Amino acid sequence: MNSIIELIEKIVESENLIRLVLGNKRKKSSLCRKVTVRPFNSSGGLMYQAEYVYEKKVMHENLTGAELCELIPDLIHNEFRQANIFTAEADYQILAAKPDKPRISELPPSMKAQSNTHDNVKKYIIPDGKPCDFLIRLGVMNDAGQVLHKHYRKFRQINRFLEIAGDVIDYLPKDRTLKIIDFGCGKAYLTFALYYYLNKELGMDVDIVGLDLKADVIQFCSETASSLGYDGLRFEIGDIAEYKDTHADMVVTLHACDTATDFALINAKNWNASVILSVPCCQHELFSQMKNELHSPMLRQGILRERFCAILTDTVRQLKLEEWGYDVSMIEFTSLEHTAKNIMIRAVNTGKPKLSSKEQLVKITDYWNVRPTIVVCDR
Ligand SMILES: C[S@@+](CC[C@H](N)C(=O)[O-])C[C@H]1O[C@@H](n2cnc3c(N)ncnc32)[C@H](O)[C@@H]1O
């Protein structure tokens, strides 16, 4: 049964289902003869419609991906002996005469996605099924290029990040080596991905530095980069707040905790970086500072206080960036299903400081009685 659950989860994660048909009912007495599932686009994203065929009627039910992952194994276990699944990458047949010993076979794909089912079957910048050196080295893919089920979320996150990076390339200088710094790179899946995409795929001349406090992580990343022959990718041990370099065209900082994000943004502004991509997390700094009589009912509740603290912190960052002359958009990085830390600050340097944001920032910090690092340490 686990293998069926894993297969359905993988198909849902990769968003490449074309059609799924359940038939050959287990009990003669069952009223439902067949179930067919098709994906469709809704305003909230990809959904699935299950069509239940009875003797004299047909019924429909709309499902999320998570609901589909629960429903299909359950139907195979209790109602149907056979499932045929058609995806953009492969066909699968599940024969489950004995519910606990299903046989799953995989064949080349026989169906093409139709525009009226799911017109944008996800095309990843780095596709599943094609070997990619750094993903193999980091254990996300096997040697044949197949993404391991347990790393599918990371795989999607990497591709989402590259999509966002691809959208800001036009704002970066074209006439010289691009200098990019990833502050708080950690194990650097996304730093490697950025190098791979810009250098190996797009042929751009890049000098990328990944910086982190952790010596063991930096050693691992440096060895990996050199074994892959990624010459323009370096890793350094260091603290974002102390980091001194001459410049960067693009500053990336993904999930660097609390005020580390502020120091990354301040560095970016001091270097007049063209682009900043930042996913803040653990916004704790203002938690104990926030004071406001009118909002005291909200501030009394720890969970509300914590959530609001994150929103206020990122609003302050937005205003500061605008004051510095950046055009700021807050975009969804990964689906909320995966992590609550999913807001990315995407800032593009326009060279036109916004006075109104400077004024709003003063009002808002006074109103909440806070002294954020990005304000105090801006110089
Ligand atoms: C949650 S991990 C994120 C790793 C990676 N950026 C990602 O999104 O997958 C945060 C990393 O930031 C690093 N970090 C936190 N504060 C830092 C600082 N002041 N200077 C350098 N690195 C820092 C931590 O050591 C950790 O590896």
Side-chain angles (χ1 to χ4, degrees):
M1 207 58 197
N2 283 347
S3 50
I4 296 180
I5 295 171
E6 278 181 16
L7 176 63
I8 305 297
E9 282 180 355
K10 176 172 166 150
I11 290 168
V12 166
E13 289 270 6
S14 56
E15 299 191 348
N16 65 6
L17 179 69
I18 298 171
R19 193 194 299 178
L20 182 156
V21 184
L22 295 169
N24 195 357
K25 61 184 187 175
R26 280 191 194 287
K27 300 167 233 157
K28 273 199 175 141
S29 56
S30 293
L31 298 175
C32 183
R33 287 195 283 120
K34 179 173 145 183
V35 178
T36 305
V37 178
R38 291 186 180 82
F40 69 97
N41 282 317
S42 78
S43 55
L46 188 63
M47 296 278 292
Y48 298 88
Q49 183 173 74
E51 180 184 83
Y52 298 82
V53 180
Y54 296 85
E55 210 51 55
K56 288 192 179 150
K57 65 176 180 185
V58 173
M59 293 180 65
H60 293 99
E61 180 186 25
N62 291 344
L63 303 156
T64 63
E67 287 165 341
L68 191 73
C69 289
E70 281 192 22
L71 177 75
I72 300 302
D74 186 48
L75 286 176
I76 294 174
H77 197 263
N78 296 310
E79 302 290 336
F80 297 100
R81 293 168 207 262
Q82 184 171 339
N84 289 84
I85 307 174
F86 305 91
T87 74
E89 256 128 48
D91 290 356
Y92 301 92
Q93 184 176 62
I94 303 175
L95 296 174
K98 294 183 185 154
D100 292 325
K101 288 193 182 155
R103 280 188 291 131
I104 302 178
S105 43
E106 180 177 336
L107 295 162
S110 64
M111 272 195 190
K112 280 210 169 107
Q114 289 166 12
S115 57
N116 63 348
T117 55
H118 179 204
D119 42 20
N120 53 345
V121 168
K122 198 78 187 160
K123 287 224 174 19
Y124 289 122
I125 288 178
I126 303 179
D128 185 2
K130 185 176 159 211
C132 165
D133 57 1
F134 84 92
L135 287 178
I136 295 171
R137 187 61 53 87
L138 295 177
V140 174
M141 274 181 175
N142 62 21
D143 288 347
Q146 280 157 342
V147 176
L148 305 192
H149 174 69
K150 63 178 176 179
H151 291 307
Y152 224 94
R153 280 183 192 167
K154 185 48 91 183
F155 175 72
R156 285 177 71 173
Q157 186 198 45
I158 287 169
N159 273 292
R160 173 74 182 131
F161 175 60
L162 295 184
E163 249 173 57
I164 295 169
D167 285 344
V168 293
I169 287 176
D170 284 350
Y171 299 100
L172 294 166
K174 311 259 172 321
D175 52 346
R176 55 183 162 80
T177 303
L178 269 187
K179 177 76 185 282
I180 300 175
I181 299 188
D182 183 355
F183 280 130
C185 62
K187 266 188 88 182
Y189 292 85
L190 297 158
T191 335
F192 278 100
L194 192 61
Y195 182 83
Y196 175 86
Y197 180 48
L198 297 180
N199 181 265
K200 303 284 169 199
E201 290 281 302
L202 301 182
M204 294 168 69
D205 191 9
V206 289
D207 172 19
I208 302 185
V209 177
L211 184 94
D212 205 285
L213 290 168
K214 296 179 193 150
D216 56 336
V217 164
I218 291 302
Q219 190 185 345
F220 167 82
C221 293
S222 300
E223 286 168 6
T224 307
S226 105
S227 70
L228 288 164
Y230 283 15
D231 296 335
L233 177 59
R234 307 177 274 129
F235 292 91
E236 293 175 14
I237 304 168
D239 186 331
I240 302 169
E242 319 264 291
Y243 192 73
K244 301 275 173 278
D245 203 333
T246 45
H247 88 286
D249 299 302
M250 175 161 154
V251 167
V252 173
T253 178
L254 307 168
H255 310 114
C257 308
D258 202 10
T259 54
T261 296
D262 299 301
F263 290 110
L265 300 182
I266 290 171
N267 283 341
K269 166 256 182 178
N270 287 340
W271 297 323
N272 202 23
S274 305
V275 173
I276 303 169
L277 298 180
S278 169
V279 178
C281 77
C282 311
Q283 296 96 327
H284 299 315
E285 185 189 26
L286 307 185
F287 188 87
S288 51
Q289 296 184 19
M290 291 187 303
K291 250 191 238 128
N292 185 289
E293 190 52 38
L294 179 65
H295 295 282
S296 58
M298 173 179 81
L299 299 181
R300 272 207 305 272
Q301 298 296 337
I303 188 162
L304 298 183
R305 189 180 179 107
E306 190 182 314
R307 288 197 189 168
F308 180 73
C309 180
I311 290 173
L312 178 62
T313 307
D314 292 339
T315 305
V316 166
R317 288 167 175 160
Q318 173 196 335
L319 291 172
K320 199 69 186 160
L321 284 161
E322 287 170 351
E323 179 192 320
W324 291 336
Y326 285 86
D327 182 34
V328 177
S329 338
M330 300 275 179
I331 57 178
E332 193 172 66
F333 180 36
T334 49
S335 157
L336 250 186
E337 267 173 59
H338 299 152
T339 170
K341 299 166 189 169
N342 77 332
I343 292 180
M344 173 179 277
I345 302 174
R346 172 191 184 273
V348 174
N349 199 345
T350 65
K352 293 182 196 143
K354 240 179 153 179
L355 188 61
S356 58
S357 297
K358 185 176 179 174
E359 290 163 1
Q360 277 173 322
L361 182 54
V362 172
K363 284 186 197 156
I364 211 166
T365 47
D366 284 351
Y367 183 76
W368 287 101
N369 196 38
V370 291
R371 299 190 73 241
T373 291
I374 198 165
V375 173
V376 177
C377 296
D378 177 25
R379 57 193 176 267

